[in-house]
Amino acid sequence: GNDRTSLMLFAHNRAGSLYQLLEPLARRNISMSNIESRPSRRGVWEYVFFIDIDGHKEDPLVSEAIAEIEKASAMVTVLGSYPRAVL
């Protein structure tokens, strides 16, 4: 229903890598509510991205997008799905 999923993505150090990670979400009209980047400890100029998206990890469109992101990412970790806060 009204859920949010948090992801941790490791991007390769090459042109267009962030685009390749986000494009599966855009193609499926999955909104991001937050994105943050941090330098990775794995290598120079490699970054880890923390992304919050709308939807549950078991929703068909979200699980398809995550599967496609896994192919383009150095590593994907689903941190969890949880009910979205209602203000």
Side-chain angles (χ1 to χ4, degrees):
N2 196 13
D3 297 320
R4 182 162 288 154
T5 298
S6 295
L7 305 171
M8 181 173 61
L9 313 173
F10 286 89
H12 293 288
N13 182 18
R14 62 176 177 242
S17 63
L18 181 59
Y19 170 80
Q20 291 175 340
L21 297 178
L22 300 180
E23 191 270 337
L25 299 172
R27 197 166 4 95
R28 289 171 179 83
N29 202 30
I30 299 172
S31 294
M32 292 187 313
S33 57
N34 187 39
I35 182 168
E36 295 180 30
S37 65
R38 298 283 181 260
S40 170
R41 295 180 183 169
R42 300 172 77 180
V44 178
W45 298 111
E46 290 187 3
Y47 288 86
V48 60
F49 293 90
F50 294 92
I51 300 174
D52 292 336
I53 60 173
D54 290 343
H56 194 279
K57 65 181 177 183
E58 294 178 1
D59 292 343
L61 289 178
V62 173
S63 64
E64 289 172 12
I66 292 171
E68 193 171 331
I69 290 168
E70 287 174 338
K71 295 175 186 174
S73 175
M75 189 173 97
V76 175
T77 302
V78 178
L79 301 174
S81 291
Y82 45 90
R84 188 172 11 177
V86 179
L87 301 175

